[in-house]
Amino acid sequence: MANLERAPRKSFNDLIYDLIFKNYVWQSIFRTGYPNTPRNQMLAVATNVFLHLHPTRIHRTHVKITHTYCLGGLSFFMFLGLTVTGVLLMFYYVPSIERAYQDIQELEANVRFGQLLRNMHRWMAHAMIILVLLHMMRVFYTGAYKPPREFNWVVGVVLFILTLLLSFTGYLLPWDQLAFWAITVGTTMVGSAPVLGDESKFLLLGGFSVGPNALIRFYTLHVIGLPLVISIFMAVHFWRVRRDGGLARPL
Amino acid sequence: MVSRAAAAIRTRPRREREAEVLVWPDLVFIEFISALIFSIALMVLSAMVNAPLLNRADPDTTPNPSKAPWYFLNLQELLLHMEPAWAGVIVPTIALVLLAAIPYWDRDTQGQGVWFGTKFAGRLTVFGFTAATLITSLLIIWDGSLHVVWTENVIRGLGLNSDFTWPGGLDWFRNLRGFDTGIPWDSLGFTIGGFTMFEDWRAIPLGIPGTTTDPWLLNLNFPSFLSQQIIPVATMVGLPVLFVLFCKGLGWIHSRRDIALLIFSAFIGVYLTTTIVGTAFRGQGQDLKPPWDIVVLEE
Ligand code: HEM
């Protein structure tokens, strides 16, 4: 494709361009060179597995930073980062009350960049909650929940709840005093529900108080159950943004 | 970049092309940069601040204060002012349901896709947020009896009365529980046609004689019910209604969108205030304390 657009005489830039984008290895991965014409740029977005979440063209007002402040995208980016750091953390962590705390200590002391890894995971989780809340506010104040986007707003509320639950289930895993008592306080609140309070609390903890069963339940929910569910809801969320005609704008 | 790409598609006579730009490079570039900035910022933060790790979990040593993760501290804050079932479960459930229901109630598509789309949106937002923040703070101060401490200190400090204490007649106004403990409920019984009504306000029989009903229905502790349920719930329902009436009176409200703007902004104010108070201003025994006086004891 790119061949048709080659300049008649090779400039220095073209040489560099060819060197980078027209070698055997690059083309085996990306199939084409850098997309430098509108047609190829649209094709790049439409045919790339990661970029095809986007439309190929987008309304001018929506690329202004001040319209979305990138908040939805950044929430998603945090989720991706949390998945990467989370998988790495799983290499070092065993969810049993005998090992959990010690594993975290050893991760911090003995693993190269272990402390950094844990910090990244922790701060990204906090950042994600704040970003999701801010994203909700931006959607609200731009009136972007109005028809036909009602349902996507509801999907958003579910995403917000799932984000909190993901963070809450992760909170227990270090098995330190902070974790233990925060989860004790949190699940006691669940237990005060007027109907099925004690039952839900028991189901969540696998017992009457925070112990080994609670740890394995929180762990499983945190590393596989909730991430799967939130991925499905995110897929629906992004799909609906496209189906509802892109981002909201004045009629 | 924008102009070249846009110029190239302008030749195509299709709908609104001239108002559109290409996702590559215009959007992809912005996304890349914002992701990069966040990655760097988080890296720097993580290099400087370590995630907390306290002692190993010990069910026999309770930290005081014990706190939920910060994003649930708004609920834990509510817990101090009302029946746990309301604070921990019913209020958040209703709040989430109402939040999700906004688009089904405010369906007018006018003003969508622009920031603060109505004429008075700015004022409604600022008023809703500020008023809710102020009122929430005042309610928390009142329920923490800080007004009692401050009044006593001021009157003593001014030398008006060196051993002034909060008057017993105003005990009911010390805090929310004052409506329970500060009112002489025992002497408030009255008689109608020979029947003594509410001899004991703390055990008003609700069950029908001769039947077995759920035990908690049998006797109602009215003073506690009043202070832990009626007043908090009436406040949470009443204040938003007052807000709407007030702004209607000012002529700021012309659509459901305006009401949504006002209440949502007020909600954000309450959400933030309770989270901040719960996180930074609650010390041992969940007493109100300035952040620098908060220490965690293990008991
Ligand atoms: C994990 C959480 C979430 C992620 C990853 C996410 C992601 C996104 C992204 C990438 C967009 C495209 C536009 C933008 O960036 O603003 C978007 C749009 C949208 N989001 Fe979310 N979102 C999340 C949570 C929420 C929440 C909590 C709500 C509301 C309660 C919500 C409601 C919406 C709506 C209605 C749109 C369409 C906006 C428009 O048309 O302008 N989302 N979301």
Side-chain angles (χ1 to χ4, degrees), chain B residues 62-146:
Chain B
T62 317
N64 183 3
S66 282
K67 291 188 181 184
W70 63 267
Y71 38 85
F72 287 146
L73 289 183
N74 43 12
L75 301 180
Q76 207 181 340
E77 177 64 31
L78 287 190
L79 213 55
L80 300 171
H81 311 290
M82 63 191 75
E83 177 71 27
W86 284 102
V89 185
I90 306 176
V91 172
T93 308
I94 293 179
L96 286 169
V97 169
L98 289 182
L99 189 68
I102 295 175
Y104 296 88
W105 176 74
D106 168 27
R107 294 189 212 168
D108 183 3
T109 48
Q110 275 293 311
Q112 70 170 326
V114 278
W115 282 89
F116 305 107
T118 66
K119 185 160 175 225
F120 293 104
R123 292 182 205 187
L124 288 165
T125 303
V126 172
F127 172 79
F129 180 83
T130 330
T133 304
L134 267 176
I135 294 175
T136 309
S137 311
L138 287 177
L139 285 172
I140 289 173
I141 286 174
W142 170 68
D143 200 24
S145 300
L146 284 189

Side-chain angles (χ1 to χ4, degrees), chain B residues 157-194:
Chain B
L158 291 178
L160 298 177
N161 180 351
S162 56
D163 40 36
F164 174 82
T165 50
W166 188 257
L170 284 180
D171 266 348
W172 60 274
F173 197 66
R174 273 177 182 272
N175 50 33
L176 195 50
R177 292 232 177 239
F179 286 96
D180 183 347
T181 55
I183 295 178
W185 291 99
D186 298 340
S187 58
L188 288 183
F190 52 92
T191 42
I192 305 177

